[in-house]
Amino acid sequence: MTGEWAIGPWPDGVAVQVHGMERDPFFGLEGDVDAARELVSIVGPERGELYVYPGDRHLFTDSSLPSYDPEATALVVSRSRELLDRLG
């Protein structure tokens, strides 16, 4: 990975999913989505997935916060479980 926050190459054989909202001030508007796209392209479509949801919320899966989005969270949970099922 490249960029300011890069920590080195992604470990071989490790799958990744990235979830974020398109207009999230950090994810969508400050470039995190670009880093996620780079990571998924490096890992490849068989092990890397990027999911971008409509909206502008950060931490949208935390039900204790006003930014909580139950519909998007349900998709995150479903997609995460599918990934774990494929790995298991």
Side-chain angles (χ1 to χ4, degrees), residues 18-50:
V18 182
H19 303 262
M21 288 198 162
E22 62 189 351
R23 294 182 324 276
D24 172 335
F26 303 101
F27 181 76
L29 302 180
E30 285 191 0
D32 288 354
V33 69
D34 298 326
R37 284 187 187 109
E38 179 184 358
L39 175 59
V40 168
S41 72
I42 290 168
V43 172
E46 64 282 347
R47 292 185 299 128
E49 299 168 313
L50 170 60

Side-chain angles (χ1 to χ4, degrees), residues 12-84:
D12 287 337
V14 176
V16 64
Q17 278 188 345
V18 182
H19 303 262
M21 288 198 162
E22 62 189 351
R23 294 182 324 276
D24 172 335
F26 303 101
F27 181 76
L29 302 180
E30 285 191 0
D32 288 354
V33 69
D34 298 326
R37 284 187 187 109
E38 179 184 358
L39 175 59
V40 168
S41 72
I42 290 168
V43 172
E46 64 282 347
R47 292 185 299 128
E49 299 168 313
L50 170 60
Y51 295 104
V52 180
Y53 304 89
D56 60 358
R57 299 174 185 181
H58 190 66
L59 302 176
F60 63 94
T61 60
D62 187 336
S63 63
S64 71
L65 297 175
S67 58
Y68 178 62
D69 183 321
E71 292 178 17
T73 298
L75 283 171
V76 171
V77 170
S78 174
R79 290 168 170 164
S80 298
R81 285 180 174 166
E82 288 172 6
L83 172 66
L84 293 172

